[in-house]
């Protein structure tokens, strides 16, 4: 099984890969579907989009309704300027018209044509979206269901019914030299070929593009992550959404800079640097800024924070090490996605921050020269100690507890990598067993703890 580094890591906008980026991708899939559809080119008069399950319950907090409107206006998640969002939405609210290339002009009222279904979720997945196209008389021309399955991945109902844990849509199958679908296979192939995990992953990526293109693409991903940190540590104010959560990263960063001019008060000062990097990214995400799914938006701060830690605090760190880091992290992320989930709506936050922490631990261990066995051990340690973590965002916003949770996920990743590097790679629980445990735990987890904001902190903390 092959999931590209460029599918695991996607440049997009906040606040959620499954609730913002995924719905945007789904809209574009639907528009591609109906262009040229019999009866649509002349008869299309109205599009309606119904959000089901978690997309409905936390859609307002995750800006799902805004995301689908922006996509209907032509916006793409990887190129949308966050500063253009509000003017575009204001114009649509005033004009209530869509001018979609290849289709007739259509009436569209965001308040009436984006519908929230607060009933039971659709049977196949918690993040369902029903698209319907109507003619001027109200008759149905076309309908289809899409599911946003985490990390910006989108599948149709037919694709989701077809198979489980096999590549569909963006999860494409390819003839790659190292088609590992489990950690066990990854270690066996690495031993047989005498290659590191990053080297195998790079050869897989180069099966359909040049090495130069792959490395340039990885550098672009890191540049986007780093830019997000740099913007986050300069921004102040209150995050949108009504909770009145104050941005803290910029203030903490300035404190650390001042302390850096003298002897640090505590040896654990480096933990504060990890935390501020992660919080900077997730504050940007909460504000609807440009982030990289890593592997999701809700967990977008962990991998950038640990990568920045590697560059700023580890002797001998360089850009080549960053590429090793991200290739290795993507290899682990692909295995987790193939065999369990990276979606909070499917398995809770263990699948988001837990997966990100495992990926970051593996990447750091690799960049610091760890063996394949040590890398697998690092990923397992980090994931194991996120098992059972629920997804219970207050008011459906990716703010509390999500922002701080990324900081702690980054700290766990560094700790896991350090523990693994202190050993020889042998350990009791294999990564594959830990991934399967996460999958089973997610299946057993009650729905109110899976990104619906109907349990946990979301109902026990009074919104301010």
């Amino acid at each position: 099984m092959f999931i590209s580094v460029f599918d695991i890591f996607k440049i997009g906008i906040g606040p959620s890969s499954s609730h913002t980026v995924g719905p945007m991708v789904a809209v574009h899939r639907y528009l591609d579907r109906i262009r040229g559809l019999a009866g649509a080119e002349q008869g299309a008069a109205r599009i309606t989009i119904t959000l089901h399950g978690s997309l409905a319950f936390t859609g307002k907090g995750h800006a799902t309704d805004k995301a689908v409107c922006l996509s209907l206006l032509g916006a793409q998640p990887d190129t949308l300027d966050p500063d253009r969002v509000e003017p575009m939405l204001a114009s649509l609210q005033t004009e209530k018209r869509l001018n979609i290339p290849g289709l007739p002009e259509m009436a569209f009222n965001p308040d009436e044509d984006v519908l929230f279904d607060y009933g039971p979720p659709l049977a196949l997945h918690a993040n369902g979206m029903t698209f319907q196209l109507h003619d001027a008389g109200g008759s149905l021309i076309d309908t289809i269901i899409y599911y946003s399955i985490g990390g910006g991945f989108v599948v149709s109902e037919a694709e989701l019914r077809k198979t489980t844990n096999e590549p569909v849509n963006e999860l494409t199958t390819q003839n790659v030299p190292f088609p590992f679908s489990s950690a066990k296979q990854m270690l066996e192939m690495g031993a047989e070929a005498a290659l590191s995990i990053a080297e195998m992953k790079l050869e897989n990526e180069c099966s359909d593009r040049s090495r130069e293109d792959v490395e340039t693409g990885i550098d672009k991903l890191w540049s986007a992550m780093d830019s997000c940190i740099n913007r986050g540590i300069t921004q102040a104010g209150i995050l949108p959404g009504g909770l009145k959560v104050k941005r803290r990263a910029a203030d903490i960063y300035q404190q650390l800079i001042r302390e850096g001019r003298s002897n640090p008060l505590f040896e654990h000062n480096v933990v504060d640097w990890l935390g501020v990097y992660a919080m900077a990214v997730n504050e940007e995400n909460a504000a609807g800024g440009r982030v990289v799914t890593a592997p999701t938006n809700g967990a977008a701060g962990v991998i950038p924070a640990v990568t920045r830690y590697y560059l700023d605090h580890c002797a001998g760190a360089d850009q080549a090490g960053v590429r090793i880091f991200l290739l290795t992290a993507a290899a682990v992320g692909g295995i987790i996605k193939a065999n369990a989930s990276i979606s909070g709506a499917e398995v809770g936050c263990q699948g988001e921050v837990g997966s990100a922490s495992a990926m970051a631990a593996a990447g750091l261990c690799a960049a610091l020269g760890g063996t394949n066995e040590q890398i697998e051990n690092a990923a397992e340690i980090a994931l194991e100690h996120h098992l059972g973590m629920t997804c219970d965002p207050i008011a459906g916003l990716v703010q509390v507890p999500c922002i701080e949770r990324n900081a702690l996920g980054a700290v766990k990743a560094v700790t896991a990598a350090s523990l693994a590097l202190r050993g020889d790679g042998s350990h009791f629980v294999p990564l594959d067993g830990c991934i399967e445990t996460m999958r089973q735990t997610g299946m057993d987890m009650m729905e109110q703890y899976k990104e619906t904001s109907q349990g946990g902190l979301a109902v026990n903390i009074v919104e301010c």
Side-chain angles (χ1 to χ4, degrees):
M1 164 137 197
F2 174 63
I3 303 177
S4 172
V5 62
F6 303 110
D7 286 331
I8 289 292
F9 300 122
K10 301 185 187 77
I11 298 173
I13 62 168
S16 172
S17 54
S18 59
H19 288 59
T20 312
V21 177
M24 293 183 76
V25 172
V27 168
H28 285 289
R29 284 198 66 182
Y30 187 64
L31 296 181
D32 288 341
R33 168 187 169 88
I34 61 177
R35 288 187 182 97
L37 186 70
E41 288 185 327
Q42 290 78 35
R46 182 189 180 205
I47 289 177
T48 62
I49 302 169
T50 303
L51 308 174
H52 307 279
S54 178
L55 290 181
F57 287 115
T58 63
K60 289 289 185 181
H62 288 78
T64 308
D65 50 344
K66 294 181 179 180
V68 298
C69 290
L70 290 166
S71 289
L72 290 169
L73 294 171
Q76 297 279 358
D78 59 336
T79 58
L80 175 62
D81 179 355
D83 292 333
R84 289 284 303 138
V85 168
E86 292 308 320
M88 291 173 69
L89 293 172
S91 177
L92 179 61
Q93 193 67 247
T94 299
E95 297 178 7
K96 294 182 170 55
R97 306 295 296 177
L98 295 174
N99 289 285
I100 300 169
L103 294 168
E105 184 180 77
M106 287 184 279
F108 186 83
N109 184 340
D111 298 328
E112 297 177 359
D113 296 330
V114 181
L115 309 171
F116 290 79
D117 173 14
Y118 296 110
L122 301 182
L124 295 184
H125 195 279
N127 288 338
M129 308 174 66
T130 299
F131 288 78
Q132 292 187 324
L133 183 66
H134 308 263
D135 64 18
S139 296
L140 187 65
I141 297 174
D142 181 67
T143 185
I144 191 172
I145 295 173
Y146 289 111
Y147 294 94
S148 180
I149 60 174
F153 291 94
V154 171
V155 293
S156 68
E157 184 172 27
E159 290 166 338
L160 196 57
R161 285 186 181 278
K162 178 181 176 183
T163 185
T164 301
N165 289 335
E166 289 185 11
V168 291
N169 192 27
E170 293 98 336
L171 312 184
T172 53
T173 53
Q174 294 185 18
N175 293 320
V176 295
F178 301 101
F180 51 82
S181 60
S182 68
K184 181 175 184 292
Q185 290 177 346
M186 180 176 70
L187 292 177
E188 290 172 348
M189 290 180 187
E192 184 176 351
L195 293 174
S196 70
I197 293 168
E199 288 169 335
M200 290 190 292
K201 183 65 174 170
L202 180 60
E203 289 203 23
N204 285 350
E205 297 291 340
C206 291
S207 62
D208 67 346
R209 66 184 84 192
S210 69
R211 178 174 180 143
E212 181 181 3
D213 285 347
V214 172
E215 292 183 343
T216 299
I218 292 172
D219 292 347
K220 181 180 177 182
L221 288 170
W222 168 241
S223 178
M225 292 179 183
D226 197 36
S227 294
C228 189
I229 292 175
N230 291 335
R231 179 172 170 79
I233 56 178
T234 64
Q235 301 300 303
I238 304 299
L239 293 171
L243 289 183
K244 299 181 181 179
V245 172
K246 181 182 177 182
R247 284 182 181 251
R248 290 180 288 163
D251 181 58
I252 295 172
Y253 178 74
Q254 289 302 319
Q255 291 180 45
L256 291 169
I257 292 295
R258 289 193 297 270
E259 291 170 7
R261 299 190 182 112
S262 57
N263 291 327
L265 292 175
F266 306 106
E267 289 295 332
H268 64 246
N269 174 272
V270 70
V271 174
D272 296 333
W273 283 104
L274 271 168
V276 78
Y277 297 148
M279 290 173 65
V281 171
N282 283 87
E283 287 176 357
E284 277 297 289
N285 179 62
R290 185 174 305 283
V291 298
V292 178
T293 62
T296 66
N297 282 29
V302 178
I303 288 170
V306 178
T307 308
R308 182 75 170 259
Y309 163 82
Y310 162 72
L311 285 171
D312 290 357
H313 299 277
C314 297
D318 56 18
Q319 189 61 29
V322 172
R323 293 172 188 156
I324 290 170
F325 188 120
L326 294 180
L327 284 165
T328 305
V332 170
I335 291 171
I336 294 173
K337 178 161 182 58
N339 295 286
S341 176
I342 58 171
S343 169
E346 289 183 333
V347 295
C349 199
Q350 59 175 351
E352 296 207 24
V353 171
S355 295
S357 187
M359 293 164 65
L364 179 61
C365 187
L368 295 179
T371 66
N372 288 353
E373 288 74 20
Q374 288 172 319
I375 292 165
E376 186 259 1
N377 186 15
E380 189 281 324
I381 293 171
L383 184 61
E384 178 180 334
H385 298 290
H386 284 87
L387 290 176
M389 182 175 283
T390 60
C391 183
D392 51 353
I394 296 175
L397 299 168
V398 191
Q399 297 180 16
V400 183
C402 318
I403 295 171
E404 288 181 355
R405 189 167 283 177
N406 274 257
L408 273 293
V411 171
K412 285 185 182 181
V414 173
T415 303
S418 182
L419 283 172
L421 286 167
R422 295 289 183 182
D424 61 4
S426 60
H427 56 107
F428 193 80
V429 179
L431 177 57
D432 289 330
C434 191
I435 293 171
E436 173 59 16
T437 301
M438 183 182 77
R439 186 190 69 83
Q440 293 179 7
T441 303
M443 290 176 63
D444 292 338
M445 191 179 290
M446 298 174 70
E447 292 300 317
Q448 56 260 46
Y449 298 113
K450 296 190 216 178
E451 208 171 3
T452 62
S453 289
Q454 294 183 304
L457 288 175
V459 299
N460 286 302
I461 303 298
V462 177
E463 297 174 25
C464 299

